[in-house]
Amino acid sequence: MKSISLFFIIFPMLIFSQEDLLNEINTDSISYQYETAAFKGLKIVNFESTKLVGKKDFTFIVSHRFGSIENGINTFFGLDDAVTRLNFVFGISDGLNIGFSRSSFQKIYETSLKYRLLRQEKNGFPFTIVGFNALLINTSLDKDNLPQLEFKHRVGYTAQLLISRKINTNLSLELAPTFFHDNYVVVDEQDNSQFALGFGGRYKLGKRWSFNADYGWHLNRASSSPFKNPFSIGLDLETGGHVFQMHFTNAQPMNTNGFLGQGTGDWTDGTIFFGFNLSRTF
């Protein structure tokens, strides 16, 4: 639990100290031109993007992931086995967001911080760098099945660095080195502390449409694990204050620990899940 506290105390301190230092600089003599709109959605597909909610803006995201389409009409192409996540994100400042969500997958509650460290500049610094930290509680674990279950076993957390570059008007790419930890893991041989490297990108197809894709490479998955690396593709549609994301993926969970550590689908045998994210900013 000490590690969790450090995640949520040290990083905000770094942000605010950085802002204080910048305020002391005479900005009249410096003109920065930042690249904007590398990503339109807060997520690429599964992975967080480097986009943040603006200061004092409130964004509500409904995420829905149907069951596998492989069973066809028997489960109405996954409708009967759907998972839903409700996520609320508030912009404390333009560079700092706080979020809270609840997912029907394992009845997970999650709180998160997302904060910008550096921004891509035109003819300057080449990347936007954003940090993401999350703390989750799995409330579905049952003491009848796990007699030695304690509250600490329900806890997991995530630390992620999101590094993106807007290559040109149409193309943006992102790299996401990720550490995540679950105090309880399904596979006994699996280390509780796990590492992954995410890759993602967005290609603009038109004024309102874009093609998105991301992939998570798990770096220390147990050899006996039945879970798979998540690969996802989708389309983003911008409609006024809405961003509507439609996608196909082989991971049904939507929290980072879930889609990286417990994705069960396999593109080669048709265990694919259709889903969407619908966000509205107030």
Side-chain angles (χ1 to χ4, degrees):
M1 296 297 289
K2 290 182 180 179
S3 298
I4 298 172
S5 301
L6 288 174
F7 285 136
F8 287 90
I9 294 173
I10 293 176
F11 282 109
M13 289 173 63
L14 290 174
I15 294 166
F16 294 128
S17 63
Q18 180 186 43
E19 290 180 350
D20 291 340
L21 288 172
L22 290 174
N23 288 335
E24 295 175 6
I25 298 174
N26 181 5
T27 56
D28 292 338
S29 62
I30 302 175
S31 178
Y32 291 105
Q33 286 188 308
Y34 296 114
E35 289 286 1
T36 59
F39 297 95
K40 289 294 186 176
L42 294 174
K43 287 200 170 207
I44 302 175
V45 180
N46 277 320
F47 281 88
E48 295 284 332
S49 76
T50 51
K51 177 180 173 63
L52 281 88
V53 171
K55 183 178 181 179
K56 295 184 179 179
D57 284 345
F58 176 79
T59 297
F60 175 52
I61 307 107
V62 179
S63 300
H64 201 71
R65 196 67 57 80
F66 295 95
S68 175
I69 64 175
E70 66 171 337
N71 296 319
I73 197 64
N74 288 333
T75 60
F76 206 73
F77 300 95
L79 181 65
D80 297 343
D81 305 317
V83 167
T84 301
R85 184 185 186 217
L86 304 179
N87 191 18
F88 305 87
V89 182
F90 179 72
I92 296 175
S93 69
D94 287 332
L96 176 63
N97 290 176
I98 186 169
F100 178 79
S101 71
R102 201 277 189 182
S103 174
S104 59
F105 177 78
Q106 297 180 343
K107 301 179 181 179
I108 287 176
Y109 291 86
E110 180 182 278
T111 184
S112 64
L113 285 177
K114 191 174 182 180
Y115 42 91
R116 185 187 298 115
L117 301 172
L118 293 166
R119 294 181 68 177
Q120 182 180 346
E121 301 168 14
K122 296 179 180 179
N123 302 315
F125 189 72
F127 305 107
T128 293
I129 302 178
V130 169
F132 178 78
N133 294 85
L135 170 67
L136 63 84
I137 300 173
N138 180 345
T139 64
S140 70
L141 296 177
D142 190 344
K143 201 158 188 175
D144 290 338
N145 297 324
L146 301 166
Q148 298 182 12
L149 181 69
E150 298 179 28
F151 176 78
K152 66 180 181 181
H153 298 127
R154 300 182 183 275
V155 176
Y157 45 92
T158 306
Q160 203 167 40
L161 204 60
L162 312 169
I163 307 166
S164 74
R165 176 168 172 78
K166 188 174 182 179
I167 306 297
N168 53 44
T169 302
N170 295 325
L171 179 64
S172 299
L173 300 175
E174 181 178 290
L175 186 67
T178 303
F179 166 80
F180 65 103
H181 181 97
D182 288 308
N183 285 337
Y184 171 78
V185 290
V186 178
V187 179
D188 291 338
E189 294 79 12
Q190 179 63 60
D191 291 339
N192 297 86
S193 295
Q194 301 172 62
F195 303 88
L197 190 58
F199 306 88
R202 170 182 182 261
Y203 188 82
K204 191 174 180 181
L205 300 174
K207 186 175 181 180
R208 297 186 180 276
W209 289 92
S210 68
F211 173 79
N212 290 16
D214 59 31
Y215 176 76
W217 179 23
H218 195 296
L219 300 176
N220 64 326
R221 196 185 302 281
S223 59
S224 59
S225 174
F227 303 121
K228 309 292 183 182
N229 290 339
F231 173 63
S232 313
I233 58 174
L235 294 172
D236 279 12
L237 171 63
E238 300 172 58
T239 57
H242 300 270
V243 177
F244 185 51
Q245 300 180 297
M246 300 162 284
H247 44 256
F248 289 94
T249 178
N250 61 317
Q252 193 179 34
M254 287 171 277
N255 300 85
T256 303
N257 293 37
F259 70 74
L260 281 174
Q262 299 182 57
T264 58
D266 190 330
W267 282 83
T268 61
D269 62 16
T271 48
I272 306 167
F273 307 91
F274 172 71
F276 64 83
N277 302 325
L278 177 60
S279 66
R280 174 65 180 176
T281 300
F282 298 93

